[in-house]
């Protein structure tokens, strides 16, 4: 509006070409001053608007940030609630499984404890049986040892206890007798009390210095207490001493050469191992 009015005021009249009066000039100046003030005021207002818009934008951004933070916190709260629910569910499930395992292990524990009690009872019974069997073997050992000692006329084993395998201190014929008595005693015990039957063998024990009387007693003792066992037995003897043995219930294998040579091995197998009739 000021510009429009200003244009109506000219320095020179377009009609009469007269110079503007002082009042007219002052009016023009006043109009110019008013325009400057308006422009200044407009500029100030525009700056204030810009400042207020900036503040408004900052407030909008702050609101957006607050809203985003609020949404994030709500999301975390919801997750925590869900986690608590899941934890409760998991805890309940775990507790149920643990309770089931506890019941299972309690049953297993009860079963094992009962089995342990039964086993301890069986061990107690077995120990009693073992002790009784040991006493029985001790008595049988002493009886056989003493009986054989009387047969062979030997007194060196009076203090020799059952399962005492320490060295025999005798020499010569006395040692041969003592060893034979022990071999025969344990062979009879094994044949009588063992749960398994297996072959038993005794190598030659006769020395040249043994008298005929001792020789006969020793071989006859082998015949009565070893060859006659229910277990399969092997006894090596030179041919001249076969007269002491009853060959009706024995199989005599004559070896003319060393039995470990390759040439005699197959023949030995055929004589020792025979097919049942």
């Amino acid at each position: 509006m000021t510009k429009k009015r200003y244009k109506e005021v000219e320095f020179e009249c377009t009609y009469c070409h007269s110079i503007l009066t002082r009042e007219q000039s002052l009016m023009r100046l006043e109009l110019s001053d008013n325009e400057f003030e308006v422009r200044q005021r407009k500029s100030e207002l525009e700056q204030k608007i810009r400042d207020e818009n900036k503040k408004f934008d900052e407030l909008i951004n702050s609101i957006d940030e607050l809203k985003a933070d609020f949404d994030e916190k709500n999301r975390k709260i919801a997750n925590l609630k869900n986690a608590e629910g899941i934890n409760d569910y998991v805890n309940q499930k775990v507790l149920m499984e643990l309770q089931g395992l506890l019941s299972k292990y309690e049953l297993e524990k009860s079963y094992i404890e009962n089995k342990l009690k039964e086993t301890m009872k069986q061990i107690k019974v077995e120990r009693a049986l073992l002790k009784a069997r040991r006493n029985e073997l001790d008595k049988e050992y002493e009886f056989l040892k003493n009986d054989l000692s009387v047969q062979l006329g030997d007194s060196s084993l009076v203090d020799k206890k059952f399962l005492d395998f320490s060295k025999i201190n005798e020499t010569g014929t006395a040692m041969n007798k003592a060893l034979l008595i022990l071999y025969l005693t344990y062979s009879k015990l094994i044949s009588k009390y063992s749960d398994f039957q297996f072959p038993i063998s005794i190598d030659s024990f006769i020395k040249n210095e043994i008298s005929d009387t001792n020789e006969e007693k020793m071989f006859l003792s082998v015949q009565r207490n070893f060859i006659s066992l229910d277990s399969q037995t092997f006894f090596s003897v030179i041919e001249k001493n076969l007269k002491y043995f009853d060959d009706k219930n024995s199989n005599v294998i004559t070896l003319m050469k060393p039995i470990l040579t390759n040439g005699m091995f197959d023949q030995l197998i055929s004589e020792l191992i025979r097919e049942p009739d």
Side-chain angles (χ1 to χ4, degrees), residues 211-222:
S211 64
D212 292 340
T213 302
N214 286 323
E215 182 180 279
E216 181 177 1
K217 288 180 180 180
M218 294 174 74
F219 280 119
L220 289 176
S221 183
V222 171

Side-chain angles (χ1 to χ4, degrees), residues 11-234:
F11 182 75
E12 182 181 356
C13 180
T14 56
Y15 298 103
C16 63
H17 301 287
S18 61
I19 302 301
L20 293 177
T21 64
R22 182 176 179 275
E23 291 77 8
Q24 290 174 331
S25 299
L26 292 172
M27 181 63 182
R28 178 176 176 234
L29 290 172
E30 184 180 354
L31 290 176
S32 297
D33 291 340
N34 289 339
E35 181 182 3
F36 175 78
E37 291 176 0
V38 169
R39 287 179 181 178
Q40 181 68 24
R41 183 63 178 166
K42 177 184 177 182
S43 176
E44 292 174 356
L45 291 174
E46 287 177 346
Q47 182 62 40
K48 286 184 177 181
I49 290 172
R50 285 193 296 270
D51 292 341
E52 294 299 325
N53 284 335
K54 182 178 179 181
K55 292 179 181 179
F56 180 77
D57 291 339
E58 291 176 352
L59 289 174
I60 293 296
N61 292 332
S62 177
I63 290 173
D64 290 340
E65 291 176 359
L66 290 173
K67 186 176 182 301
D69 184 63
F70 178 79
D71 292 339
E72 178 66 17
K73 286 182 170 57
N74 277 336
R75 185 183 65 79
K76 289 182 178 180
I77 291 172
N79 290 336
L80 288 174
K81 290 181 178 179
N82 292 333
E84 289 178 357
I86 292 173
N87 288 337
D88 290 340
Y89 171 76
V90 171
N91 289 338
Q92 290 296 325
K93 187 174 182 180
V94 169
L95 287 175
M96 291 176 63
E97 291 180 355
L98 290 176
Q99 189 65 38
L101 289 174
L102 179 61
S103 299
K104 176 183 176 182
Y105 290 134
E106 286 291 342
L107 290 175
E108 291 183 358
K109 177 185 176 184
S110 178
Y111 173 77
I112 292 173
E113 287 177 346
N114 291 333
K115 291 293 292 182
L116 181 61
K117 291 179 181 178
E118 293 178 3
T119 303
M120 293 303 294
K121 289 180 181 179
Q122 293 177 359
I123 290 175
K124 187 175 181 179
V125 171
E126 291 296 329
R127 283 178 175 172
L129 292 175
L130 182 62
K131 184 177 180 180
R133 176 58 63 90
R134 175 62 184 263
N135 292 334
E136 183 181 358
L137 288 172
D138 280 335
K139 293 178 182 179
E140 185 76 6
Y141 167 80
E142 289 295 332
F143 172 79
L144 293 174
K145 181 192 68 172
N146 294 335
D147 183 58
L148 288 167
S149 295
V150 171
Q151 291 181 30
L152 297 180
D154 180 78
S155 60
S156 63
L157 299 176
V158 174
D159 297 326
K160 197 73 169 176
K161 301 299 182 182
F162 181 53
L163 299 181
D164 176 10
F165 300 111
S166 58
K167 181 180 178 182
I168 300 296
N169 295 322
E170 305 295 329
T171 59
T173 301
M175 184 179 68
N176 288 333
K177 286 184 179 181
L179 289 175
L180 179 60
I181 291 170
L182 291 176
Y183 280 134
L184 295 179
T185 298
Y186 281 109
S187 295
K188 294 191 73 171
L189 290 175
I190 291 173
S191 179
K192 181 178 180 179
Y193 291 102
S194 176
D195 291 333
F196 304 95
Q197 294 293 328
F198 50 88
I200 307 174
S201 64
I202 299 179
D203 199 1
S204 293
F205 56 86
I206 303 300
K207 304 298 180 181
N208 295 331
E209 66 270 17
I210 294 178
S211 64
D212 292 340
T213 302
N214 286 323
E215 182 180 279
E216 181 177 1
K217 288 180 180 180
M218 294 174 74
F219 280 119
L220 289 176
S221 183
V222 171
Q223 170 64 42
R224 288 193 299 265
N225 299 287
F226 184 74
I227 302 298
S228 61
L229 294 178
D230 292 334
S231 301
Q232 187 180 23
T233 57
F234 293 90

